[in-house]
Amino acid sequence: MSKSSATREQYKRVIEALRIRPQTSYDLRRLGVYQAPARIKELRDRFNFVISTDPVVIVDRDGYRHARVALYTLMSEPAEGI
């Protein structure tokens, strides 16, 4: 997986991760996607990916509780990709 912070590479990381399972904004941040809401919006608006967003509560690896973290689920993707 590329370590590039280029937007296109972030799109690829988000999509690859969402194909495996739903991901939280915390999960995506750990993959180097620091503006997950922006990348998700762009994938929806520019590329026609259908991604649902649900609020969840998580406890991070340091034991801190975070309420209303976004959980993104890939519902469908366009045939042409990005």
Side-chain angles (χ1 to χ4, degrees):
M1 183 180 296
S2 170
K3 298 288 185 181
S4 171
S5 62
T7 302
R8 193 159 207 64
E9 292 301 317
Q10 290 182 46
Y11 292 151
K12 289 179 185 177
R13 286 197 296 272
V14 169
I15 293 164
E16 286 174 13
L18 290 176
R19 283 179 178 151
I20 296 169
R21 65 174 176 79
Q23 303 285 325
T24 65
S25 49
Y26 181 76
D27 297 328
L28 295 175
R29 190 171 300 117
R30 294 185 71 207
L31 294 175
V33 181
Y34 284 87
Q35 296 296 323
R39 299 296 85 82
I40 295 294
K41 181 170 178 18
E42 292 160 355
L43 286 167
R44 287 175 178 145
D45 295 349
R46 293 184 189 170
F47 303 106
N48 298 316
F49 282 82
V50 179
I51 301 169
S52 69
T53 304
D54 296 294
V56 295
V57 176
I58 66 164
V59 176
D60 68 22
R61 62 183 176 179
D62 297 314
Y64 292 99
R65 183 179 183 275
H66 301 275
R68 298 193 54 79
V69 171
L71 176 68
Y72 301 109
T73 304
L74 180 63
M75 306 302 284
S76 69
E77 51 187 289
E80 66 274 0
I82 336 183

